[in-house]
Amino acid sequence: MRGKLDQFQKILLGVIVLYSIFVTIKNPAFFSMETLFDLIRTSSASMIVAIGLLVVMISGGIDVSFMAVALFGSYTTINLMISLGINSLVFAFGFSALLGLLLGLVNALLINWLKLPTFIITLGTQNLFHGIMTTFISDKSFGAGVLPSCLHGFGQAVLLKLPTENGSTALTVSLIPVALAGILTWFLLYHTMIGRGIVAIGNDEEAARRAGFRPFFLRLFVYGYFGILSGVMGIVYTAQNNALYPNKLVGDELMVVAAVVIGGTKITGGQGKILGAVLGTAIIYLLNSTLILIGLSSSWNNLFVGAILVISVAVTSYQERIKNRNHLIFTE
C-alpha cells in the first residue's frame, strides 16, 4: 500500500485528469507548463500544512489553529528580523518553526489537561494566538520594501526554467519545503515507532495504551510537529506574496481540512495517506484557479468543493464498512 496508489488515490487522479481535459477543451490556453508551475506555486504553502494536519487527523484529533500558528510564527519572526536588521533565511525558517513548535505544544498540553474535544480547544487557541500577536506584538502590515531581502530572494528563486511562446516559465523553490515535509512525514509514519503509535491511538487509544504506547507524549509530538510545519508554511507564504499582513491566513483553515478529508483521511482517525492530502489540496486549488476559464464565477468554487467533500466522505465510509464486513466487524 505504501509503494503504489490505492483505489481512492486513483480516483482522485482520475478526477484531476478528467477535469483538466474538460478545462482544456473549453480553454486550450490552460494546457501548459506555465499553468502547472503556477498551480504548484500557489498550492505549495497549503500542502505543507495539509501534510501536518494529516498526521493530527490520523492520531484521532483535529487542529483548526494552524493558520493562526503559521501567522504568529512568521509575523513575529519577520517583525523581529526587521527590528534587529537580521537578513537570514535560516533564521526566518528556524525561529518561525520554533515558535510553531511552542504553540503546538500549548495545544497538546491543553488537550491533555482539559479533556475536551480537540476541535473546541484549537478553535479557542486560534483566537488566543492571533489575539496575542495583534495585541502585544504588532498589527502593522509590511510591504515588499520593508521585508528582509532574503525572503524576496526565496520567493523569486527557481528550480527549473523553461522557454515558452511568451518568454519563459519557472518552477519555484517553494516545492522544496513541500517535498521535505512529505518525505519526513512518510518516514515518521511508516518507519518509526512514533508513527505506529500515532496510527494506534487514532484507531483505539485504550488498545494503544495497553500495547505500551503513551498517548500524552504522542500528542505532544503530533501537535508539536504540526506546529513546526505551520511555522515553515508561514514563511513560505510570506515569501511568495512578498508582503506580511496581520490578518491574512486566519480563516482559511477549513479549506485545508476539506483538502485532507477529500484526500481520503478518516475523520475519526487511524487512516490517511500523504499523497491523498496532496491530491486533495491540488483539486481545491485547481478548481479555484480554473473556474474563470470555463466561464463560471468564483462563487461556484464552494459548491464544487462541498460536493467533492461529501462524495469523498461517503466513499471513505463505504470502503470502511466493506473492510469491516470482510473482517467480520459490525458496527451500527
Side-chain angles (χ1 to χ4, degrees):
M1 293 295 290
R2 300 175 204 162
K4 60 181 180 180
L5 297 178
D6 62 23
Q7 184 179 3
F8 196 81
Q9 290 167 356
K10 290 177 181 177
I11 293 174
L12 291 178
L13 277 174
V15 169
I16 292 174
V17 171
L18 291 175
Y19 180 74
S20 297
I21 292 173
F22 171 72
V23 176
T24 302
I25 292 173
K26 296 284 289 185
N27 192 325
F30 169 76
F31 188 73
S32 66
M33 291 301 297
E34 185 175 2
T35 301
L36 176 61
F37 286 172
D38 186 63
L39 178 64
I40 293 173
R41 183 189 66 82
T42 56
S43 65
S44 57
S46 293
M47 284 183 181
I48 295 172
V49 285
I51 292 170
L53 181 60
L54 168 75
V55 178
V56 174
M57 294 184 70
I58 289 176
S59 74
I62 187 69
D63 185 346
V64 293
S65 70
F66 58 90
M67 286 302 193
V69 173
L71 180 60
F72 189 105
S74 59
Y75 189 91
T76 304
T77 298
I78 294 171
N79 193 48
L80 182 64
M81 292 174 69
I82 293 172
S83 300
L84 300 180
I86 299 173
N87 188 27
S88 169
L89 197 61
V90 173
F91 179 86
F93 277 109
F95 196 73
S96 183
L98 176 62
L99 291 175
L101 169 63
L102 295 176
L103 296 183
L105 293 177
V106 169
N107 277 336
L109 291 171
L110 288 175
I111 289 168
N112 184 74
W113 176 42
L114 297 176
K115 308 296 183 185
L116 292 173
T118 55
F119 176 82
I120 299 299
I121 292 175
T122 56
L123 183 63
T125 56
Q126 173 199 62
N127 292 281
L128 175 65
F129 297 154
H130 190 229
I132 290 174
M133 187 199 81
T134 54
T135 303
F136 297 104
I137 298 175
S138 179
D139 60 354
K140 297 180 180 178
S141 298
F142 298 96
V146 181
L147 294 182
S149 60
C150 63
L151 294 177
H152 176 73
F154 178 80
Q156 297 298 314
V158 301
L159 285 175
L160 178 65
K161 196 170 186 179
L162 298 175
T164 64
E165 293 181 358
N166 300 318
S168 63
T169 185
L171 177 63
T172 64
V173 296
S174 58
L175 180 63
I176 293 178
V178 179
L180 291 176
I183 293 170
L184 179 58
T185 302
W186 171 81
F187 178 79
L188 288 170
L189 287 177
Y190 297 120
H191 294 280
T192 67
M193 286 300 296
I194 290 177
R196 295 187 182 96
I198 291 170
V199 175
I201 63 172
N203 280 304
D204 190 325
E205 182 173 330
E206 184 58 33
R209 186 180 287 108
R210 291 176 182 176
F213 293 108
R214 304 176 70 179
F216 171 61
F217 289 104
L218 287 170
R219 286 198 180 92
L220 282 176
F221 176 85
V222 166
Y223 287 91
Y225 180 67
F226 190 23
I228 291 173
L229 293 185
S230 298
V232 170
M233 179 268 188
I235 296 297
V236 172
Y237 180 86
T238 303
Q240 287 180 342
N241 289 275
N242 203 26
L244 184 63
Y245 304 101
N247 295 310
K248 282 289 186 178
L249 292 177
V250 178
D252 296 335
E253 301 83 5
L254 292 184
M255 276 300 178
V256 179
V257 175
V260 177
V261 174
I262 287 172
T265 302
K266 190 177 175 183
I267 297 176
T268 53
Q271 178 180 309
K273 295 291 179 65
I274 297 170
L275 180 58
V278 170
L279 291 176
T281 306
I283 286 176
I284 287 181
Y285 275 84
L286 182 63
L287 287 171
N288 191 47
S289 62
T290 57
L291 290 179
I292 191 172
L293 297 179
I294 59 177
L296 297 177
S297 66
S298 59
S299 61
W300 283 82
N301 187 58
N302 289 337
L303 173 63
F304 288 144
V305 170
I308 295 173
L309 179 60
V310 171
I311 293 171
S312 63
V313 170
V315 171
T316 302
S317 177
Y318 175 75
Q319 289 179 332
E320 185 67 17
R321 287 200 300 270
I322 294 298
K323 179 181 176 181
N324 289 340
R325 189 177 305 162
N326 292 337
H327 290 82
L328 301 180
I329 301 173
F330 301 99
T331 59
E332 294 184 3

